[in-house]
Structures are given as C-alpha cells and as structure tokens.
Amino acid sequence: MHSTSLKPHVVTLGTAGGPRWWTGENAGKRAGISTAVVVGDAVYLVDAGTGVGNQLMKAGFSTANLRGIFLTHLHSDHTIDLASLAIFGLFTLTPGQAPVHIIGPGDRGILPPASPRAAEPPTPLYPANPTPGTADMFSHLMQAYATDLNDRVIDALRPSPLDHFIASDIQIPQGTGYHANENPTPENVAPFEIYRDELVTVTATLVKHPPIAPAFAFRFDTAEGSVTISGDTAPCENLVTLARDTDLLLHEAIDFDWVERAYGHIGTEAAQASMDHHRLSHTSAQQAIELAERAGARTLALHHLVPGTTPVSVWRSHAADFSGTFVVPDDLQVISFATEPAEMVVSR
C-alpha cells in the first residue's frame, strides 16, 4: 500500500521576481523569490530572495530544518538574503546538525557581451574577479561580515558559518557544448544529478536566461512525487525535458504588457535594453502553460511573478487554458506534489 508519510510539498516562501521592492497598488504582498521543498522533516530551499529568513520562520521552519540551499542562478533577486540565512541562521542550528549544502552556478569565466545599444562598452566592476560563482560568492559574503562573525565566534563562542554551510559550484557535464557566451543553453541537455540523499534526488538542466550563464532549473524526485522549478528562463526545450511527467511545475511568469507600460514610453537606450532583456529572458503565463502541457505536468503554479504587483486576476485569467491544475499561489501557500493523492493544500 502506498505510504504518504513523507507528505512532499512546497511552501511558496516568496513569489515575486525582480531586483527591487515593488511599489504602488498591491505592493508588499509578495516577498522575494524563494521556495521551500519539504519532504518529511527536511527542507530544501530553492533561491534566497529578499525576506527569505522571515518567510521561512513564518512557515514554521528554521535553518535547523535545512539540508540544502539550491541557487538557480546568481542574479541578486535570487541570492540577496543568502548571507542572512548563514549568519542569522547560526542561532537556530541544532547541535550535531549536518552541514547545510549551498549548491549553485560556478564562475562563468568570462564577462557577458555588452548590449548592442551601448555607445561604448561599460566598465566592469571588480575586473580582477568579475564573475564569481557560488562558492566564491559565499566566501566573499562571509568575509564582508568578518567583523561581526569574529566578535560572535571569539567573544560569544558562537559557531562559525564556515563550519555549518558548505558552498559548492555545479559542474556542467562534459560534452554538452556549453559556453557562457557562445552557447549558454545547448539544446537537448540530458538532466544531470547534482545532489542526493535518502529522501530526494535533485537533477538540473541548463535554461535560457541571457545574459547570465549558467542558469539552471531543478527537479526534486522523491518516493512519493516530484516537483520541478524552472528558475528564470525564456521558453526552453531543456525545461520541458526536465519536467516530463512531473507532479508539480513551478514556472516563472512575466507580464509583458507591464514591460511595455514600464519602459516603452521612456525612449532611452537603457530602457530599450531593459525591454530587450525581458523579452529574451522570461516567459509569459501563456507560454508557461504551453510548456507545462508539453511536459505533461499535472499541476502548474506560476511564481517569480514580474511585476510583483500585477493583480492576481490577470494571472488567473489563463486558468482555462491548462488541462491540469492551475495555481497562482500567494506567499506561504502550501502545494502538495504527492503523486497519490494528487491534492493541493492551502495554508497561511
């Protein structure tokens, strides 16, 4: 008889995308992008957007529950509160707890090409190390807080985050043809394993979010169901392959009408470059539905909503276009990805 003891589900800790605090009507309702994948008593965090620590606490969890933090890519709206998880999180670790793995993209190794709209290429920041990967980024963050950390470690005998968080870079398999600038999203990349324990197997694939590279989507497979999280991406065949027959697909969505309203009237090269980026690097709600249908996902939930203030009715207006269960979750919503029974549970 099928056991449901693991009760696999996600908690949408934060559902807004974008490196900003959204203002105006409907502002303040969505925290920065972050998703808790919960299997039994274990929590696996995908991305660390603004407010993630408070949201984790509101969901009833702490770093004591964390086994891993998985970063889809290194844009700031996905990583801005990584340092707080490691520093404030020291106070909720439990004695003897296994180190929390931080797993994400490596150093791209080369700067992205300048926008063709630039009159001359902008000067890069920190040219000696302009594109650090996950391991380097975490090390730099902890070094930036060394005054605080050394006070607490030496005077208050607090644990060191370097002993309790292990950051590593995802190794892209040989033979994919990946190149950060020339071929950042090779087609037909077979999903590859990046993490495994007794509860989950996590696989990844390369997705399309120029100019950043690499950018990943992740899939968590358990004995009782699977969830796939797109990360930031334009429509991408690799994502369809990764999400094949998944119980739950969380896919980013952007309101392209908002992009036109926000930037179309400005007329500067910077505004046009922003519009170029959004069009090349993101997915509309309708496109996400088409990808979910092709993948055979049982449930589709839209998140990383841009802007974070678009009325939920705009997103939900697409529900009839999806043959499965269609969800536009609020922050702190619980969505089951158990294959049996296929149910959704909502909580606050």
Side-chain angles (χ1 to χ4, degrees), residues 157-275:
L157 303 182
R158 301 301 304 175
S160 165
L162 300 183
D163 293 333
H164 292 273
F165 294 86
I166 300 174
S168 61
D169 298 338
I170 294 171
Q171 301 300 311
I172 299 171
Q174 296 292 320
T176 63
Y178 167 81
H179 183 281
N181 286 349
E182 296 173 9
N183 194 18
T185 316
E187 294 182 359
N188 301 316
V189 172
F192 53 95
E193 185 176 312
I194 60 169
Y195 176 88
R196 176 189 292 265
D197 63 23
E198 80 281 9
L199 296 176
V200 302
T201 299
V202 185
T203 49
T205 196
L206 290 161
V207 292
K208 190 181 299 184
H209 191 51
I212 205 162
F216 296 106
F218 300 132
R219 175 172 175 146
F220 292 75
D221 281 287
T222 78
E224 298 175 12
S226 66
V227 58
T228 304
I229 300 176
S230 73
D232 284 13
T233 183
C236 179
E237 195 64 28
N238 290 343
L239 187 280
V240 173
T241 300
L242 182 71
R244 188 77 63 199
D245 296 324
T246 194
D247 294 289
L248 171 63
L249 170 62
L250 283 92
H251 203 290
E252 68 125 272
I254 192 169
D255 180 357
F256 283 119
D257 290 341
W258 169 82
V259 173
E260 186 63 36
R261 291 195 304 271
Y263 297 103
H265 66 284
I266 297 176
T268 65
E269 291 300 312
Q272 290 298 315
S274 291
M275 293 178 72

Side-chain angles (χ1 to χ4, degrees), residues 270-304:
Q272 290 298 315
S274 291
M275 293 178 72
D276 293 343
H277 166 72
H278 288 311
R279 289 168 178 155
L280 290 171
S281 303
H282 291 287
T283 302
S284 70
Q286 189 60 49
Q287 289 172 321
I289 287 170
E290 293 168 0
L291 293 165
E293 292 283 15
R294 292 180 53 216
R298 293 172 179 80
T299 297
L300 169 64
L302 300 183
H303 72 164
H304 192 276

Side-chain angles (χ1 to χ4, degrees), residues 35-107:
T35 305
V37 178
V38 184
V39 185
D41 295 326
V43 176
Y44 308 85
L45 198 64
V46 178
D47 290 327
T50 182
V52 62
N54 278 330
Q55 296 297 92
L56 193 67
M57 177 186 66
K58 290 176 183 177
F61 302 117
S62 73
T63 49
N65 303 105
L66 288 183
R67 290 198 182 186
I69 301 169
F70 298 82
L71 304 178
T72 58
H73 62 294
L74 299 184
H75 274 158
S76 57
D77 54 326
H78 294 251
T79 62
I80 196 69
D81 269 4
L82 179 62
S84 70
L85 286 171
I87 297 172
F88 287 13
L90 291 174
F91 292 88
T92 56
L93 293 170
T94 56
Q97 180 178 342
V100 178
H101 292 272
I102 302 171
I103 300 172
D107 189 332

Side-chain angles (χ1 to χ4, degrees), residues 129-151:
N129 187 19
T131 58
T134 297
D136 271 359
M137 180 180 71
F138 184 71
S139 176
H140 295 325
L141 286 170
M142 295 304 99
Q143 184 177 4
Y145 284 96
T147 296
D148 171 273
L149 291 170
N150 281 319
D151 272 4

